[in-house]
Amino acid sequence: TPSGWRLKLAGLVVGAATILLANQVRLVLVAHASRLPEDAFLFLHDYLFQIGMLAVVLVVWVCWLSVVTRREG
C-alpha cells in the first residue's frame, strides 16, 4: 500500500477528531445564527457552513497527504 496501516490509522483518528470538532463549532454557530433574520440564517446554514465544512475536510486531507509524502519520500 502507498502508506502503512499505522499512518492510515493515525490519519483517520486525527482527521475524524478534527472534523468532529469543526462540526461542533458549526453547530454552535448555527445555534447563534438562529437568532438572525430567516434569510440570513438560511444563507449561513445552506451555503456558508457547508462550504466551511468542505474546506475543513479538504485541509485535513491535504495535511494528511503532505505527512504521507514527506515520510515516504
Side-chain angles (χ1 to χ4, degrees):
T1 63
S3 64
W5 67 271
R6 288 183 181 176
L7 194 54
K8 287 180 182 177
L9 182 61
L12 178 66
V13 169
V14 172
T18 303
I19 291 168
L20 286 172
L21 178 64
N23 194 48
Q24 291 298 316
V25 170
R26 182 188 67 86
L27 290 174
V28 169
L29 292 174
V30 165
H32 286 292
S34 67
R35 300 179 192 163
L36 296 174
E38 185 179 0
D39 57 342
F41 170 77
L42 289 175
F43 173 78
L44 289 172
H45 181 267
D46 292 345
Y47 296 102
L48 193 61
F49 293 149
Q50 287 191 28
I51 291 169
M53 284 303 295
L54 288 172
V56 168
V57 170
L58 179 64
V59 167
V60 166
W61 179 72
V62 168
C63 289
W64 179 79
L65 193 59
S66 73
V67 168
V68 169
T69 56
R70 195 172 339 132
R71 289 191 181 209
E72 294 179 355

